[in-house]
Amino acid sequence: MATIIGISGPTAGGAVSVGRVRTLAQVYRRFGEIDAAGTSPLYERIAVALSESEQALGAIESAPARKRHPTVILAALHDLALAGRAPDLAAAYAAADGYAAAGAAIDTLRRMTDSVVAIAVRRQTRTNETGRYAVLYPAIAEAARRVGANSVGLIDVGCSAGLNLHVDRVGITYSNGQLLGDPSSPVQLSSSIVGSLPLPTGAMPEVVTRVGIDLDPIDVTDADDARWLRACLWPGQPERAARLEAEIALAATAPPTLLRGDAIEVMPDAFTQVPADALPVVTTTWALSRLPLESRLRFLHRLDEAAAGRAVAWVSAEGVGVAPSIPTLGDRRASGHSIIGLAVLDRSALHAQAMGRCWSQGRLLAWLADSQPGK
């Protein structure tokens, strides 16, 4: 079982109202007709049906405003189905019957409003896209090479279930023919390369520490937590479901230490977990965008404090202009892609570089940095 250490700190952001029933209906119809369309026919049909049901909308309004979004409510319904508490909905999902699923979802919301709301209030939706491995692996390996580190301690901020912390234990195939990681791993993924510059070829050194920081960390060895991860996947996507099962099984063989609390407050405790002879590598993947600029600058200050007596690396995949000190390459904030950043801090020195660009959370990337020895 993963070790979860609770450390006090600020809680998640405040409520964002989605308004009265009519506005809520529009939110659900838009989700079905635009967000889910072409991706999940089941969710497309369910969301539209919910938008047309006064009973369903009334049940959803029982939840706090910030917990009424379709991704939250649909995940809560999915969790009940997976737990065997909504058998009609589970059967409709298994049969990929959108009309039956829509009716079962409305019925479940009507009969089990309190249960749906309780799950929605307690949980946060999770998007553990495995494309992140494809971005993290070469950047972490490059950070270790530049510092001359023979081992690293990984600290993942906004870690959710800590799956990123097992980046060294997966196999990655890139469209240019490069292979990184473990070719025998049960977790295999692919990523498409844009441009002609190859990725660094070096292997990641030994990972001696795995620490995750999250306001609400998920322990994959806990049955309820693991089920919630499955519930956050949209039904009708068997390949993603199979990959998540492999990731959960892999992570359960070496559970990380999970620190519960605000990242800025908890980071000093995380650094103490990394042995003195290992390079601490902090990773953030689309985690800093949830923080105001002041907090992001405080995050960078925490890294600087940790680097007072040792080298520290920070690998980031964040929207353009989100990660402080990482160059934006002249890209616009609304460009639709993210910047892969690497910052190495050693005492008073900060060396920050944009290593590349990525799209679709790492499923498509362009490496831009010269990673040859001596550079």
Side-chain angles (χ1 to χ4, degrees), residues 20-274:
R20 298 295 299 169
V21 170
R22 191 178 72 170
T23 301
L24 190 62
Q26 292 170 345
V27 168
Y28 272 77
R29 179 169 290 278
R30 178 180 175 83
F31 178 85
E33 295 180 342
I34 296 177
D35 297 338
T39 302
S40 175
L42 284 169
Y43 271 5
E44 178 181 2
R45 186 70 197 97
I46 292 172
V48 171
L50 295 181
S51 77
E52 298 171 346
S53 169
E54 291 186 9
Q55 284 187 318
L57 294 172
I60 294 168
E61 280 208 320
S62 300
R66 63 188 176 87
K67 293 292 188 174
R68 297 174 190 165
H69 191 272
T71 55
V72 181
I73 297 299
L74 291 173
L77 287 167
H78 196 188
D79 187 74
L80 289 172
L82 292 173
R85 299 174 62 191
D88 290 345
L89 184 58
Y93 282 161
D97 186 334
Y99 287 95
I106 292 172
D107 184 61
T108 302
L109 268 170
R110 179 181 59 81
R111 293 186 302 101
M112 305 181 68
T113 300
D114 291 346
S115 296
V116 174
V117 170
I119 295 170
V121 168
R122 176 174 173 242
R123 296 292 194 179
Q124 299 181 45
T125 53
R126 306 296 181 173
T127 54
N128 298 290
E129 293 295 340
T130 51
R132 304 178 191 210
Y133 296 140
V135 169
L136 291 173
Y137 191 104
I140 295 171
E142 178 64 11
R145 185 193 68 80
R146 292 187 179 189
V147 175
N150 294 318
S151 60
V152 298
L154 299 181
I155 302 172
D156 192 32
V157 172
C159 70
S160 181
L163 300 182
N164 286 346
L165 292 165
H166 298 273
V167 58
D168 58 312
R169 305 176 67 204
V170 307
I172 312 163
T173 301
Y174 297 91
S175 61
N176 64 355
Q178 286 187 263
L179 303 174
L180 293 178
D182 182 0
S184 64
S185 172
V187 178
Q188 298 290 323
L189 70 150
S190 60
S191 180
S192 297
I193 298 292
V194 177
S196 59
L197 197 62
L199 299 163
T201 58
M204 191 184 303
E206 179 187 8
V207 177
V208 295
T209 307
R210 306 175 199 273
V211 181
I213 302 173
D214 200 283
L215 285 172
D216 183 25
I218 292 224
D219 177 4
V220 296
T221 65
D222 178 86
D224 290 344
D225 280 0
R227 188 181 65 245
W228 177 246
L229 281 184
R230 299 180 180 104
C232 288
L233 282 183
W234 295 7
Q237 299 179 321
E239 290 185 5
R240 290 183 64 191
R243 189 164 56 233
L244 178 60
E245 291 302 322
E247 289 182 286
I248 290 174
L250 182 67
T253 63
T257 297
L258 301 176
L259 303 181
R260 185 190 302 274
D262 177 79
I264 296 166
E265 303 303 323
V266 173
M267 279 175 62
D269 299 274
F271 282 113
T272 65
Q273 307 272 338
V274 181

